Amino acid sequence: MIVEGKLVAPWVAELRNACQEARADLDGRELVVEMKHVTTISQEGENVILELINGGIRFRCHGLFAKHVVKELNSPRKQESGDTAGD
């Protein structure tokens, strides 16, 4: 699955729904969300990314912005607490 542009409402809900639908058809295969040319991620977007990461979905990022956000969300501190508020 590929995400491009802005991850803000209503696209955040669309990502969550698309991932749920895709997981139903995976037959045990891994779901990878590829983040390409992402320019904006809202707080709601970060929350959904963290939810998906904790649900076992892997993210592959292109570009410094998306890599930074997903790296921060993948940190053990964020995953344990579920906290996505800024530092």
Side-chain angles (χ1 to χ4, degrees), residues 4-56:
E4 294 182 310
K6 298 179 180 183
L7 185 54
V8 298
W11 307 118
V12 173
E14 184 67 26
L15 174 60
R16 179 187 284 123
N17 293 338
C19 286
Q20 288 173 348
E21 289 177 18
R23 289 181 98 176
D25 296 329
L26 287 177
D27 296 323
R29 293 174 290 168
E30 180 180 48
L31 177 59
V32 178
V33 175
E34 192 163 334
M35 308 269 288
K36 292 177 123 180
H37 311 292
V38 175
T39 58
T40 305
I41 301 174
S42 68
Q43 183 63 53
E44 183 183 10
E46 288 187 17
N47 294 343
V48 168
I49 291 170
L50 183 59
E51 174 186 315
L52 296 173
I53 289 170
N54 288 336

Side-chain angles (χ1 to χ4, degrees), residues 50 53-54 72-83:
L50 183 59
I53 289 170
N54 288 336
E72 286 294 309
L73 293 173
N74 261 319
S75 74
R77 180 179 59 85
K78 294 277 186 178
Q79 287 190 357
E80 288 172 8
S81 68
D83 175 28

